[in-house]
Amino acid sequence: KIDLIITKSISRFARNTLDSIGYVRKLKAMGVGVLFEKENINTLEKNSEVILTILSSLAQEELNSLSMNVKMGKRMAMQEGKVHFPYGRIYAYRKGEDNEPEVIPEQAEIVKRIFQSYLMGKSTVTIVEELNGEGIPSPSKKGVWIESTLRSMLQNELFCGDVLLQKTYVTDPISKKVKKNNGELPKVYIKNNHTPIISRDLFERVQQERTRRSSKRKTSRHSTTEQGKYSSL
């Protein structure tokens, strides 16, 4: 039902040269042409593929250059201490009237309870069961607490008023794959960025407790030995 696809430019058609040529060939095999307005190329015309390949390569390099400039801008902002606070992804905080992070009191009490309960010896499984048993809404859309959410909260420095920037990074502008930063790029740690919910001392003690439990041999949840006590961390 389609004879011709009109697109603004090569850069709007595909992310890289390989995709551009591949899609064009598939469409051409079905008798469908692609007209690139900016470059004035019609793929149904002779020699169009040679020109398309060259211009696609240039468009890809332009994308790489633009991506690098954006990354440099973000990293400079990090070095200057400029923080994009993750509203909507962080529990117990919202944007205040002054556009600064504001604590949500009722949720802040839950955060304190989670950290204190963990430090008192409760496992993440036990804490999750207690929160769900009391019908306390979680940060997830389903409103149910799960272990992964709790573990993520227990190691999130945002709750003690600090921010660690560049925990993840985008590998390249083509695939846009997000990867955890394990030292490939420098991280920036900013202290006292916003109002804390828990003390830094409590946060650091919980991190020490997490490390201590992780070092223990994992055995059955029902084990009565010290080594099995934290089989669910």
Side-chain angles (χ1 to χ4, degrees):
K1 296 181 181 180
I2 298 173
D3 300 311
L4 185 68
I5 296 174
I6 302 175
T7 183
K8 182 179 178 181
S9 66
I10 293 172
S11 62
R12 297 291 182 182
F13 185 70
R15 291 179 178 175
N16 57 62
T17 307
L18 190 61
D19 285 347
S20 291
I21 301 303
Y23 296 145
V24 164
R25 286 176 177 174
K26 288 180 180 179
L27 290 166
K28 193 173 182 179
M30 294 185 288
V32 180
V34 181
L35 175 62
F36 298 95
E37 292 185 312
K38 181 180 177 181
E39 294 82 7
N40 193 27
I41 299 174
N42 187 332
T43 59
L44 293 179
E45 296 178 354
K46 292 181 179 180
N47 301 322
S48 62
E49 187 170 311
V50 176
I51 300 173
L52 179 62
T53 301
I54 296 171
L55 295 181
S56 292
S57 298
L58 293 174
Q60 184 176 326
E61 286 306 308
E62 184 180 351
L63 177 63
N64 290 335
S65 177
L66 178 62
S67 175
M68 185 60 68
N69 291 337
V70 171
K71 286 180 181 178
M72 289 298 296
K74 288 183 177 180
R75 287 168 190 167
M76 287 178 66
M78 289 180 192
Q79 295 294 339
E80 294 171 3
K82 295 179 181 178
V83 178
H84 177 69
F85 203 82
Y87 298 109
R89 292 193 291 112
I90 182 68
Y91 188 70
Y93 282 103
R94 63 191 170 205
K95 183 182 286 188
E97 294 182 358
D98 57 355
N99 291 325
E100 293 296 322
E102 179 181 88
V103 174
I104 303 174
E106 59 274 18
Q107 292 184 1
E109 291 303 314
I110 302 301
V111 172
K112 292 176 184 177
R113 171 180 169 178
I114 290 171
F115 275 82
Q116 290 167 353
S117 295
Y118 188 83
L119 200 58
M120 288 170 61
K122 292 183 180 180
S123 69
T124 52
V125 171
T126 301
I127 299 172
V128 164
E129 289 174 349
E130 290 179 352
L131 294 174
N132 285 329
E134 295 175 30
I136 298 172
S138 80
S140 69
K141 293 181 180 179
K142 294 182 179 180
V144 178
W145 291 90
I146 56 177
E147 274 195 271
S148 59
T149 298
L150 208 69
R151 285 195 293 266
S152 177
M153 290 176 67
L154 286 170
Q155 56 187 314
N156 197 328
E157 75 291 336
L158 289 172
F159 292 120
C160 69
D162 300 343
V163 179
L164 178 60
L165 301 176
Q166 202 153 256
K167 292 179 181 179
T168 60
Y169 65 97
V170 179
T171 55
D172 61 83
I174 306 298
S175 67
K176 296 187 177 180
K177 182 180 179 181
V178 178
K179 185 178 179 182
K180 184 178 180 181
N181 184 4
N182 292 315
E184 294 88 348
L185 296 172
K187 297 179 182 179
V188 179
Y189 196 94
I190 302 173
K191 289 186 175 182
N192 305 316
N193 177 74
H194 53 276
T195 304
I197 291 176
I198 61 170
S199 67
R200 188 175 292 111
D201 176 65
L202 175 57
F203 178 77
E204 291 175 351
R205 284 163 62 197
V206 165
Q207 305 319 301
Q208 292 171 3
E209 178 65 9
R210 287 180 58 248
T211 301
R212 188 184 75 82
R213 295 189 193 185
S214 296
S215 66
K216 290 187 174 292
R217 179 169 61 87
K218 309 301 186 299
T219 58
S220 170
R221 285 182 58 185
H222 306 291
S223 173
T224 57
T225 64
E226 181 64 21
Q227 287 180 321
K229 185 176 181 181
Y230 301 111
S231 58
S232 296
L233 301 180

